[in-house]
Amino acid sequence: MTEVRIGLVGVGWMGQAHAKAFKASPMYFGDDAVPVLEIVADATPELAEAGAKAVGCERWTADWREVVADPRVEVVDITTPNVTHAEIAIAAAQAGKHVYCEKPLAMNVAEARDMVAAVEAAGVLSLVGFNFTKNPIQGLARKMIDNGDLGDILLVRGWSDEDFGTDPNLPFTWRMDKAVAGTGALGDMASHALSLTQMLVGDITEVCGRMEIMIKERPLPLAVASGTGHLVEIGTEMRTVTTDDTVQFLCTFANGAPGVIEASRLATGRKQLLAYEIQGTKGALYFTQERQNEIQVYRDTDPAGERGYKTVYTGPEHPNYEPFNPMAAMQIGYNDLKTIEVHDLAVAVATGKPAEPDFGFGLKIMETIDAVALSAAERRWVRTDEV
Amino acid sequence: MTEVRIGLVGVGWMGQAHAKAFKASPMYFGDDAVPVLEIVADATPELAEAGAKAVGCERWTADWREVVADPRVEVVDITTPNVTHAEIAIAAAQAGKHVYCEKPLAMNVAEARDMVAAVEAAGVLSLVGFNFTKNPIQGLARKMIDNGDLGDILLVRGWSDEDFGTDPNLPFTWRMDKAVAGTGALGDMASHALSLTQMLVGDITEVCGRMEIMIKERPLPLAVASGTGHLVEIGTEMRTVTTDDTVQFLCTFANGAPGVIEASRLATGRKQLLAYEIQGTKGALYFTQERQNEIQVYRDTDPAGERGYKTVYTGPEHPNYEPFNPMAAMQIGYNDLKTIEVHDLAVAVATGKPAEPDFGFGLKIMETIDAVALSAAERRWVRTDEV
Amino acid sequence: MTEVRIGLVGVGWMGQAHAKAFKASPMYFGDDAVPVLEIVADATPELAEAGAKAVGCERWTADWREVVADPRVEVVDITTPNVTHAEIAIAAAQAGKHVYCEKPLAMNVAEARDMVAAVEAAGVLSLVGFNFTKNPIQGLARKMIDNGDLGDILLVRGWSDEDFGTDPNLPFTWRMDKAVAGTGALGDMASHALSLTQMLVGDITEVCGRMEIMIKERPLPLAVASGTGHLVEIGTEMRTVTTDDTVQFLCTFANGAPGVIEASRLATGRKQLLAYEIQGTKGALYFTQERQNEIQVYRDTDPAGERGYKTVYTGPEHPNYEPFNPMAAMQIGYNDLKTIEVHDLAVAVATGKPAEPDFGFGLKIMETIDAVALSAAERRWVRTDEV
Amino acid sequence: MTEVRIGLVGVGWMGQAHAKAFKASPMYFGDDAVPVLEIVADATPELAEAGAKAVGCERWTADWREVVADPRVEVVDITTPNVTHAEIAIAAAQAGKHVYCEKPLAMNVAEARDMVAAVEAAGVLSLVGFNFTKNPIQGLARKMIDNGDLGDILLVRGWSDEDFGTDPNLPFTWRMDKAVAGTGALGDMASHALSLTQMLVGDITEVCGRMEIMIKERPLPLAVASGTGHLVEIGTEMRTVTTDDTVQFLCTFANGAPGVIEASRLATGRKQLLAYEIQGTKGALYFTQERQNEIQVYRDTDPAGERGYKTVYTGPEHPNYEPFNPMAAMQIGYNDLKTIEVHDLAVAVATGKPAEPDFGFGLKIMETIDAVALSAAERRWVRTDEV
């Protein structure tokens, strides 16, 4: 059994999800490469201790630099708010640690470039937590596109629609604060749609977008709110929202295909419509996270009169499904995607072979995000190499 | 029985669809206002005679001016290529005829304004053939929005996706020729998505779009091709396509809601995905023409834990359904929508009350279309009052 | 142009639907064989005259024997309540008329056998109005099964679910009266599911079923109720329901495949779920009338990891679709199915070639119906050759 | 932290799934009641040792009686073939252990009665592994039915359709051997549909069914096959299948509602269509395990013209969902259902309050199963109190 020892910075909801995945990994993938939690950090001693207890980790600290400096730690895992990613990641890389960072990679392209430079200079591995790319059904999508089953790509659509924000009483959290989050729906949600479409179709070269803050202020919560904060009680004090509720943008992929990407936290009626549609000259795909165990597949090569979108359920033929279930359509869940992700991380560390999506990919996503933000601000088309 | 006598200009596929609807109208709506075909015209005597025979009309002409001048004709019905709409419509109005014109209304805003001015000056009625707005289920959508059931509109999406053009051997027809059609997917297809969303949500004030010709040339057909031309044999001679295969644009509605509208004749996998999604603070709607007898309805006011999109089938509670079927979900078809449209026309003529959508509405759509074309050409946001 | 002159007995909702279809037939199928309404009959002079006016027919009578005796009538078309079918059909055949009769063919197998004998003895054509079998998409289903694309049939399911009867205030109509209708959901609704599955898979050899009357009495309507009667006002007088609200039965097809067929007029939530699922060793089909312009197709021969049910929309490749629409998914409606049916009838009469489904097929359905009724009464398996 | 120590008998695929759930339980539900694996047993020392290693348990044995006798074991967990359930469970109860047993509970009603008697006599808790009943969305279904939101139940349908058996080369496993499995699709698969429908609607009082073995013999595998055996290589030797491939039956629930239940391992096209439809006078529900994170809800009390089936995704409002995900539609998977089940077990043991579904419920399912088997053999209706 090869253990990979992890120092986790941030033990809120997402950090705890990582910790669960570390424990689940050997249950499903065996002990060739087992992620093990060595120490956790959070902003205060109280948060750190409570988080450590929640995830069953004996060691904790309120100083993330202790994690970075810890000689037993091989991987620094960062789940703190976006504004802290770069500093921690760069310090970790400079300390010779592999770095595993939640998405979006950074506050902006400049930070992301520094992060990429740091891991490259240190020769350490990196991984960005775009866990939805780990869905076994995306393996089918990727194989079909790489095989040319879709032909030349004609159009790409991506959506990330949730309606948790439609309620005006949803409390203000760090995600609504530009200083801490960078952007709102764009970085938090569109980044997921970008991770799927850019993984499948490639880089984006130019964008033209718009962003709107439609609910201008929100009540402050009475306690620190984790995640989207929708379960926390609110008070009467209001605070101005400075990140986008919704974003839509046109774009062009490197292969010439036009695209449209949208995200909204006010998408009434949609719960997890993290979706894409990819149309090619020979076929097409449609996927939505609301039905993450299936994909819609269209092949223009089917006989005339019998062409149509086909519902294919995840099954043992798709990568990383069979460890969870022996038969198709038995369903994997959100947490299983994280388990696949951390297992990929552990295998990368154990073998020294790069994991994906790495910081280089995370930077590509940040370039799109920054270009969209600039485009929205200046109301013009922006090339991703401008930012 | 009140007859409304129609002179039909253009008896290709669409003209014949109108003629069928004239005959079907009294079968479903009784004889209060019955459209009757008086005379047909087409480009050549051969086409006109063949068309007349196909629709069972005794009189025909190769000169549309004869139709306009005919004292027995009360309504001039125009189904010829876009480039001819304005001239015929204006002549008809000036001759005191009501005018019924297929969509898109004109080649451009300038023509459309002249057409509106002509019908207003003449005091005649006008109707644009956006038949998809006549779907009974759109009556439900409209009622819900007008009642405020969706609250404030937060986002509007429209699509018009078909894949008839994906085959590179689809012959060149007038729709691919900018000089005759004006635009391609934009005017022909996005106009449908616009007719639905602008009817339901209101005017569009600004757009930012892109248009692409992805299949640069197409084989000329061996015979004159009607409709989309996909059933006609092709030769070896090629011709350059000058209208857009695909178009996507961002937009803003007069009420402030952002929107995204797309259309493509290369939308592999989609057959008639003329669809929209309208999200509001209290509810949302999704509709696609591929399933024209149903709509998806979401109400945020349903109890927590029991909210979701609901599939509502067309039924007797929706306007103009019951003449076709006594019970819900028995299904109406494409031609039934035309029947509703021509009945609305006949009632308008018989009663003197305006029909809708009229030329004023058609102009609004043309403003959006021209603004998008300008925006795509100049790669910038364009206000609809700029064109 | 070849006219086929029809005498229509019964001009309620269904009779009027026939009359519309006669007029629509040449609009879509041309004038090779044109059904023309010659005379109509109904139970009283008032009903007959009103019906004649509604369908635009000049001649009417309150005595169906006049229709049968009319030398100009080539086809007698029967849309009266089930109890009258046999007498009229047999008289028509004996008078040398072709016979077109609504489903279910008769009150029972004995009547149906007499009807088959009568048309055979007279050498006239017959047609039963199972219009749902005329759906172009059923042509695809039939071709696939006949080609062996599904392999050996393993299981057949049929449903006919509507919820118009769930309302206890739905008035009593002749369909609830055993003396006039024979059975309820069984003959009226399951017969449709049987028409589709027996057309596609073949005869049924044995059944075991149950029937229930769950709403024991219903209010009498204040006026004569046509169709399902759900639009008619009710009074306070109640009448005992004597036909089944719901029926379910197991069965065996002649090829050995087991089957389950169900029908209910109390199927809360289902509007026109006239559906079937046919599973074979190599493929499977699922269809529902609620989405009559599509079928779900599964092929076990697709590559592993890419197998799934495919949504195929009706299109020009399917029989009798293109007269209505040039492109796929443009949608046909309920009345279009009747148009196809009456055109098939007219072609049969014009050419002398048998139409289908004929009375022989209608008898097969009646055998299943009677066997189910006997099975339900005696709570045992019953062979269809027992009845 | 309260530990509940478990002795696991059978460490094949299902036993390992239990072991994973024991570990996952405290990750999601905290440490109030934590199931801990104490010892495992399997048929041979090799299987037991390999299984122990796979699940990370230090102690193993090839004699299940050792597990039963182990003083540290509080719960005996039985995942061995059906034929062994009764003997082990009864011995466990007699040794004062709580008993957790996979479904179906036993080979027949006689065994099941003895098992119920044993746990009652010993005063120990029991739980049957119908994990699909643990789906949070079933909590919504149950609440709606118990609240009367569906009104009186009019019809119940259940399906358990998979197509793993359609391949004639699927090897022979114990599930095809009547001596070891009792029945095939009936006990293995229909039992799931019964667990859901009987939990929601209540007991079944009579049945009339048919069972078929359609693939008469299958190749023996070259190695012992676990689960459905579809991943094991086959040899050339064939063995006769003695359990049913498909089963369909009519039934009556104690409240008078008719029902139809079906199961097939040859259900071409269906992967995990473990589904039900429940129609009541005021509403209806449809669920399928292929989309386990959603349910279709119909309320007849919605306004006329706006009634339809609604897709409700699992979310925090549904029991036991929030430990896995903070927001709706994030998806839980198959293994999460087992985690909920074993947590319920641990809570029951820790608190002494009964878990459900207990052996009494398992017996009710066995009564239905045996009644169906008798009904199919004798081709007649059978009351569940006959068996």
Side-chain angles (χ1 to χ4, degrees):
Chain A
M1 167 166 145
T2 301
E3 290 193 349
V4 173
R5 304 200 77 82
I6 318 255
L8 173 64
V9 183
V11 281
W13 183 83
M14 181 55 82
Q16 294 181 28
H18 283 217
K20 287 168 190 160
F22 298 150
K23 289 186 193 162
S25 176
M27 288 162 48
Y28 293 106
F29 290 102
D31 55 9
D32 285 353
V34 179
V36 176
L37 194 54
E38 176 63 34
I39 184 170
V40 304
D42 213 316
T44 67
E46 293 71 28
L47 287 170
E49 184 173 13
K53 184 161 174 255
V55 302
C57 181
E58 294 185 7
R59 300 175 59 207
W60 58 265
T61 171
D63 178 4
W64 61 262
R65 289 173 200 281
E66 249 183 72
V67 173
V68 165
D70 189 323
R72 301 181 64 181
V73 166
E74 294 170 85
V75 178
V76 173
D77 177 5
I78 306 166
T79 70
T80 45
N82 308 348
V83 73
T84 65
H85 289 186
E87 185 182 14
I88 303 172
I90 291 167
Q94 288 172 344
K97 311 298 190 192
H98 306 296
V99 196
Y100 169 32
C101 185
E102 264 306 314
K103 43 61 59 182
L105 185 56
M107 290 291 282
N108 50 53
V109 164
E111 283 189 0
R113 284 205 185 109
D114 290 345
M115 293 166 80
V116 170
V119 296
E120 285 181 355
V124 295
L125 298 168
S126 64
L127 184 73
V128 191
F130 287 118
N131 55 302
F132 296 116
T133 65
K134 298 298 183 178
N135 188 333
I137 209 74
Q138 305 304 348
L140 175 62
R142 201 164 174 175
K143 192 182 79 173
M144 290 186 70
I145 290 174
D146 291 351
N147 281 356
D149 291 340
L150 265 54
D152 297 328
I153 302 304
L154 294 167
L155 185 66
V156 180
R157 288 170 177 151
W159 299 267
S160 186
D161 271 17
E162 302 181 23
D163 65 1
F164 66 89
T166 308
D167 180 358
N169 287 324
L170 181 82
F172 186 96
T173 69
W174 68 266
R175 292 181 198 277
M176 285 102 179
D177 182 356
K178 189 174 183 174
V180 185
T183 61
L186 177 55
D188 185 31
M189 298 170 60
S191 60
H192 284 305
L194 287 170
S195 74
L196 291 172
T197 52
Q198 294 196 211
M199 172 183 74
L200 291 170
V201 181
D203 295 347
I204 286 174
T205 56
E206 57 171 4
V207 302
C208 186
R210 76 106 55 81
M211 298 159 76
E212 298 291 336
I213 301 172
M214 305 189 83
I215 297 184
K216 308 295 186 191
E217 56 175 17
R218 290 187 179 274
L220 282 167
L222 295 180
V224 171
S226 173
T228 59
H230 67 294
L231 301 168
V232 177
E233 271 186 81
I234 57 171
T236 55
E237 195 182 345
M238 303 298 282
R239 186 154 158 201
T240 301
V241 174
T242 52
T243 62
D244 48 299
D245 285 326
T246 77
V247 56
Q248 302 87 34
F249 60 95
L250 310 178
C251 62
T252 308
F253 283 79
N255 63 10
V260 181
I261 310 281
E262 307 178 53
S264 176
R265 56 193 182 201
L266 309 182
T268 304
R270 303 303 182 183
K271 305 306 172 186
Q272 283 283 332
L273 194 101
L274 170 56
Y276 63 75
E277 178 168 349
I278 301 173
Q279 299 172 345
T281 50
K282 299 202 299 198
L285 296 171
Y286 176 84
F287 168 82
T288 169
Q289 182 65 18
E290 287 186 341
R291 289 174 169 164
Q292 79 163 38
N293 284 278
E294 62 191 78
I295 194 167
Q296 302 288 321
V297 176
Y298 180 89
R299 281 180 178 273
D300 208 45
T301 47
D302 279 355
E306 210 196 300
R307 290 179 198 139
Y309 265 101
K310 191 163 59 173
T311 303
V312 177
Y313 290 102
T314 327
E317 299 85 359
H318 309 131
N320 289 323
Y321 176 85
E322 201 170 348
F324 296 94
N325 296 309
M327 295 169 68
M330 285 180 72
Q331 316 278 315
I332 57 174
Y334 175 88
N335 292 293
D336 297 328
L337 301 183
K338 271 289 168 204
T339 300
I340 297 172
E341 180 175 285
V342 305
H343 178 249
D344 282 359
L345 169 73
V347 166
V349 172
T351 63
K353 289 183 193 152
E356 66 173 16
D358 65 10
F359 279 13
F361 182 83
L363 169 57
K364 291 287 184 191
I365 306 294
M366 281 313 302
E367 287 172 352
T368 307
I369 288 172
D370 275 16
V372 171
L374 180 60
S375 166
E378 301 190 350
R379 287 173 61 86
R380 65 171 179 92
W381 282 87
V382 171
R383 294 191 319 278
T384 50
D385 59 13
E386 281 184 60
V387 293
Chain B
M1 168 166 143
T2 301
E3 290 193 350
V4 173
R5 305 202 74 85
I6 318 252
L8 174 64
V9 183
V11 279
W13 183 82
M14 181 56 82
Q16 293 181 30
H18 283 216
K20 287 167 190 162
F22 300 149
K23 289 187 193 163
S25 176
M27 288 162 49
Y28 293 106
F29 291 101
D31 57 8
D32 284 354
V34 179
V36 176
L37 194 54
E38 177 63 34
I39 185 170
V40 304
D42 212 316
T44 67
E46 293 72 26
L47 287 171
E49 184 173 14
K53 185 162 175 256
V55 301
C57 180
E58 292 186 8
R59 300 176 58 206
W60 58 265
T61 172
D63 179 5
W64 61 263
R65 290 173 198 282
E66 249 183 74
V67 173
V68 165
D70 189 323
R72 302 180 63 182
V73 166
E74 293 170 86
V75 178
V76 174
D77 177 5
I78 306 166
T79 70
T80 45
N82 308 348
V83 73
T84 65
H85 289 184
E87 186 182 14
I88 302 172
I90 292 166
Q94 289 172 344
K97 311 299 191 192
H98 306 296
V99 197
Y100 170 31
C101 185
E102 266 305 315
K103 42 62 56 181
L105 185 57
M107 289 292 281
N108 50 53
V109 165
E111 283 189 2
R113 286 207 184 107
D114 289 346
M115 293 165 80
V116 169
V119 296
E120 286 181 354
V124 294
L125 298 168
S126 65
L127 184 74
V128 192
F130 287 118
N131 54 302
F132 295 116
T133 65
K134 298 298 182 179
N135 188 334
I137 208 75
Q138 306 304 347
L140 174 61
R142 202 164 174 175
K143 192 183 76 173
M144 289 186 70
I145 290 174
D146 291 350
N147 280 357
D149 292 340
L150 266 54
D152 297 329
I153 303 303
L154 294 168
L155 185 66
V156 179
R157 290 171 176 149
W159 299 268
S160 187
D161 272 17
E162 301 181 23
D163 65 0
F164 66 89
T166 308
D167 179 358
N169 287 326
L170 181 84
F172 186 97
T173 69
W174 68 267
R175 290 181 199 277
M176 284 104 178
D177 181 358
K178 188 173 184 174
V180 185
T183 61
L186 176 55
D188 185 30
M189 298 169 61
S191 60
H192 283 304
L194 288 169
S195 74
L196 292 172
T197 53
Q198 293 196 213
M199 172 184 72
L200 292 170
V201 181
D203 296 347
I204 286 173
T205 57
E206 59 171 1
V207 302
C208 185
R210 74 106 57 78
M211 298 159 76
E212 298 290 336
I213 302 171
M214 305 189 82
I215 297 184
K216 308 295 186 191
E217 57 175 19
R218 291 188 178 274
L220 283 167
L222 294 180
V224 171
S226 174
T228 58
H230 67 294
L231 301 167
V232 177
E233 273 187 79
I234 57 171
T236 54
E237 195 182 346
M238 304 297 284
R239 185 152 160 206
T240 301
V241 174
T242 51
T243 61
D244 49 297
D245 285 325
T246 78
V247 57
Q248 301 88 35
F249 60 95
L250 310 178
C251 62
T252 308
F253 283 78
N255 61 11
V260 181
I261 310 281
E262 308 178 51
S264 175
R265 58 192 181 202
L266 309 182
T268 303
R270 302 304 182 185
K271 305 306 172 189
Q272 283 284 330
L273 194 103
L274 170 56
Y276 63 74
E277 178 169 348
I278 301 173
Q279 299 171 348
T281 50
K282 298 202 300 196
L285 296 171
Y286 176 86
F287 168 81
T288 169
Q289 183 64 19
E290 288 186 340
R291 288 173 169 165
Q292 80 162 39
N293 283 278
E294 63 192 75
I295 193 167
Q296 302 289 320
V297 175
Y298 180 90
R299 281 180 179 272
D300 208 44
T301 47
D302 280 354
E306 210 196 300
R307 290 180 197 139
Y309 264 101
K310 190 164 59 172
T311 302
V312 177
Y313 290 102
T314 326
E317 298 86 357
H318 309 132
N320 290 322
Y321 176 85
E322 200 170 347
F324 296 95
N325 296 309
M327 295 168 69
M330 283 180 72
Q331 317 278 314
I332 57 173
Y334 175 88
N335 292 291
D336 297 328
L337 301 184
K338 271 290 169 204
T339 299
I340 297 172
E341 179 175 285
V342 304
H343 178 249
D344 281 358
L345 170 73
V347 166
V349 172
T351 63
K353 290 183 193 152
E356 65 172 18
D358 65 9
F359 280 13
F361 182 84
L363 168 58
K364 291 286 184 191
I365 305 294
M366 280 313 302
E367 287 172 351
T368 308
I369 289 172
D370 276 16
V372 171
L374 180 59
S375 166
E378 302 191 349
R379 288 171 62 83
R380 66 171 177 92
W381 283 87
V382 171
R383 294 193 317 279
T384 50
D385 61 13
E386 282 185 59
V387 293
Chain C
M1 168 165 145
T2 301
E3 290 192 352
V4 173
R5 303 202 77 83
I6 318 256
L8 173 64
V9 183
V11 280
W13 183 82
M14 180 54 83
Q16 294 182 28
H18 283 217
K20 288 168 190 161
F22 299 150
K23 288 185 194 164
S25 175
M27 287 162 50
Y28 293 106
F29 290 102
D31 57 8
D32 285 354
V34 179
V36 176
L37 193 54
E38 177 62 34
I39 185 170
V40 304
D42 212 315
T44 68
E46 293 70 29
L47 287 171
E49 185 172 12
K53 184 160 175 258
V55 301
C57 181
E58 293 185 8
R59 301 175 58 208
W60 58 266
T61 171
D63 179 5
W64 60 263
R65 290 174 197 281
E66 252 183 70
V67 174
V68 166
D70 190 322
R72 299 181 64 181
V73 166
E74 294 169 84
V75 178
V76 173
D77 177 6
I78 306 165
T79 70
T80 45
N82 308 349
V83 73
T84 65
H85 290 184
E87 185 182 15
I88 302 171
I90 291 166
Q94 288 172 345
K97 311 299 190 191
H98 306 296
V99 196
Y100 170 32
C101 184
E102 265 306 314
K103 45 60 58 180
L105 186 56
M107 290 291 281
N108 50 53
V109 166
E111 283 189 1
R113 285 205 184 108
D114 289 346
M115 292 165 81
V116 170
V119 296
E120 285 182 353
V124 294
L125 297 168
S126 64
L127 184 73
V128 191
F130 286 118
N131 53 304
F132 296 115
T133 65
K134 298 298 182 178
N135 187 334
I137 209 74
Q138 305 304 347
L140 174 62
R142 200 164 175 176
K143 191 182 78 172
M144 289 186 70
I145 292 174
D146 290 351
N147 281 357
D149 292 340
L150 266 55
D152 297 328
I153 303 304
L154 293 168
L155 185 66
V156 179
R157 289 172 176 147
W159 299 268
S160 187
D161 270 16
E162 302 181 22
D163 64 2
F164 67 88
T166 308
D167 180 358
N169 286 326
L170 181 83
F172 187 97
T173 70
W174 66 267
R175 292 182 198 277
M176 284 103 178
D177 181 356
K178 188 173 184 174
V180 185
T183 61
L186 175 56
D188 185 30
M189 297 171 59
S191 61
H192 283 304
L194 288 170
S195 75
L196 291 172
T197 52
Q198 294 196 210
M199 172 184 74
L200 292 170
V201 182
D203 296 347
I204 286 174
T205 57
E206 58 171 3
V207 302
C208 185
R210 77 105 57 78
M211 299 159 76
E212 297 290 336
I213 301 172
M214 305 188 84
I215 296 183
K216 308 295 187 192
E217 57 175 18
R218 291 188 178 273
L220 282 167
L222 294 179
V224 171
S226 174
T228 58
H230 67 295
L231 301 167
V232 177
E233 272 186 80
I234 57 171
T236 54
E237 194 181 348
M238 303 298 284
R239 185 154 160 204
T240 301
V241 174
T242 51
T243 61
D244 48 298
D245 286 323
T246 78
V247 56
Q248 302 88 36
F249 60 95
L250 311 177
C251 62
T252 308
F253 283 79
N255 63 11
V260 181
I261 310 282
E262 307 178 53
S264 175
R265 58 192 181 201
L266 308 182
T268 303
R270 303 303 183 184
K271 305 306 171 187
Q272 283 283 332
L273 194 103
L274 170 56
Y276 63 74
E277 178 169 349
I278 301 173
Q279 300 172 345
T281 50
K282 298 201 300 197
L285 296 170
Y286 176 86
F287 168 83
T288 169
Q289 182 65 19
E290 287 186 341
R291 288 174 170 166
Q292 80 164 36
N293 284 277
E294 63 190 77
I295 194 168
Q296 302 289 321
V297 176
Y298 180 89
R299 280 182 179 271
D300 207 45
T301 48
D302 280 354
E306 211 196 300
R307 289 180 198 139
Y309 264 101
K310 190 164 59 174
T311 302
V312 177
Y313 289 102
T314 326
E317 299 85 357
H318 308 133
N320 290 323
Y321 176 85
E322 202 171 346
F324 295 94
N325 295 309
M327 294 169 70
M330 285 180 71
Q331 315 280 314
I332 56 174
Y334 175 89
N335 291 292
D336 298 327
L337 301 184
K338 270 291 170 203
T339 301
I340 296 172
E341 180 175 288
V342 304
H343 177 249
D344 282 358
L345 170 74
V347 167
V349 172
T351 63
K353 288 180 193 156
E356 66 174 17
D358 66 8
F359 279 14
F361 182 83
L363 169 57
K364 290 287 184 190
I365 305 294
M366 282 312 302
E367 287 172 352
T368 307
I369 289 172
D370 276 17
V372 171
L374 180 59
S375 166
E378 301 190 351
R379 289 172 60 85
R380 65 171 178 93
W381 282 87
V382 170
R383 294 192 320 276
T384 51
D385 60 12
E386 280 185 60
V387 292
Chain D
M1 170 165 143
T2 302
E3 289 193 350
V4 173
R5 305 201 75 84
I6 318 255
L8 174 64
V9 182
V11 280
W13 183 83
M14 180 55 82
Q16 294 182 27
H18 283 217
K20 288 168 188 161
F22 299 150
K23 289 185 194 165
S25 176
M27 289 162 48
Y28 294 107
F29 290 101
D31 56 8
D32 284 354
V34 179
V36 176
L37 194 54
E38 176 63 35
I39 184 170
V40 304
D42 211 315
T44 67
E46 293 71 29
L47 287 171
E49 184 173 13
K53 184 162 173 258
V55 300
C57 180
E58 293 186 7
R59 299 175 60 208
W60 58 266
T61 171
D63 179 5
W64 62 263
R65 289 173 198 281
E66 250 182 72
V67 174
V68 165
D70 189 323
R72 302 180 61 181
V73 166
E74 293 169 86
V75 177
V76 173
D77 176 5
I78 306 166
T79 70
T80 45
N82 309 348
V83 72
T84 65
H85 288 185
E87 186 183 14
I88 302 172
I90 292 167
Q94 289 172 342
K97 311 298 190 191
H98 305 297
V99 197
Y100 171 30
C101 184
E102 266 305 314
K103 42 61 57 181
L105 185 57
M107 291 291 281
N108 49 53
V109 165
E111 282 189 1
R113 286 204 185 110
D114 289 345
M115 293 166 80
V116 170
V119 296
E120 286 182 353
V124 295
L125 298 167
S126 64
L127 184 73
V128 191
F130 286 118
N131 54 303
F132 296 115
T133 64
K134 297 298 181 178
N135 188 334
I137 209 73
Q138 305 305 346
L140 175 62
R142 201 163 173 176
K143 191 182 78 174
M144 291 187 68
I145 291 174
D146 291 351
N147 280 356
D149 292 340
L150 266 54
D152 296 328
I153 303 304
L154 293 168
L155 186 65
V156 179
R157 288 169 177 151
W159 300 268
S160 187
D161 270 16
E162 302 181 23
D163 64 1
F164 67 88
T166 308
D167 179 359
N169 287 326
L170 180 83
F172 187 97
T173 69
W174 67 267
R175 290 180 199 278
M176 285 103 177
D177 181 357
K178 189 174 183 173
V180 184
T183 62
L186 176 54
D188 184 31
M189 298 170 60
S191 60
H192 283 304
L194 288 169
S195 74
L196 291 172
T197 52
Q198 293 196 211
M199 172 183 73
L200 292 170
V201 182
D203 296 346
I204 287 175
T205 56
E206 58 171 2
V207 301
C208 185
R210 73 106 57 78
M211 299 158 77
E212 297 290 335
I213 301 171
M214 305 189 83
I215 297 184
K216 307 297 186 190
E217 56 175 19
R218 291 189 179 272
L220 282 167
L222 295 179
V224 171
S226 175
T228 59
H230 67 295
L231 300 167
V232 177
E233 272 187 81
I234 57 171
T236 54
E237 195 182 346
M238 304 296 283
R239 185 152 158 204
T240 301
V241 174
T242 51
T243 62
D244 48 298
D245 285 324
T246 77
V247 56
Q248 301 87 35
F249 60 94
L250 311 177
C251 62
T252 308
F253 283 78
N255 62 10
V260 180
I261 311 281
E262 307 178 52
S264 176
R265 56 193 183 202
L266 309 182
T268 303
R270 302 303 183 184
K271 305 306 172 187
Q272 282 283 332
L273 194 102
L274 171 57
Y276 62 75
E277 179 169 347
I278 300 173
Q279 300 171 346
T281 50
K282 298 202 298 196
L285 296 171
Y286 176 85
F287 167 82
T288 169
Q289 183 64 20
E290 289 187 339
R291 288 172 169 167
Q292 81 163 35
N293 284 278
E294 62 191 77
I295 193 167
Q296 303 289 319
V297 175
Y298 180 90
R299 280 181 179 271
D300 208 44
T301 47
D302 280 354
E306 210 197 301
R307 290 180 198 139
Y309 265 102
K310 190 164 59 173
T311 302
V312 177
Y313 290 102
T314 326
E317 298 85 358
H318 309 132
N320 290 322
Y321 176 85
E322 201 171 348
F324 296 94
N325 296 308
M327 295 169 68
M330 285 180 72
Q331 316 280 312
I332 56 172
Y334 176 88
N335 292 292
D336 297 328
L337 301 184
K338 271 289 170 203
T339 300
I340 297 172
E341 180 175 287
V342 305
H343 178 250
D344 282 358
L345 170 72
V347 167
V349 172
T351 64
K353 289 182 193 152
E356 66 173 14
D358 66 9
F359 280 13
F361 183 83
L363 168 59
K364 290 288 185 190
I365 305 294
M366 281 312 303
E367 286 172 353
T368 307
I369 288 173
D370 276 16
V372 172
L374 179 60
S375 166
E378 300 191 350
R379 289 172 59 85
R380 67 173 178 90
W381 283 86
V382 170
R383 294 193 318 278
T384 50
D385 61 11
E386 281 184 60
V387 294

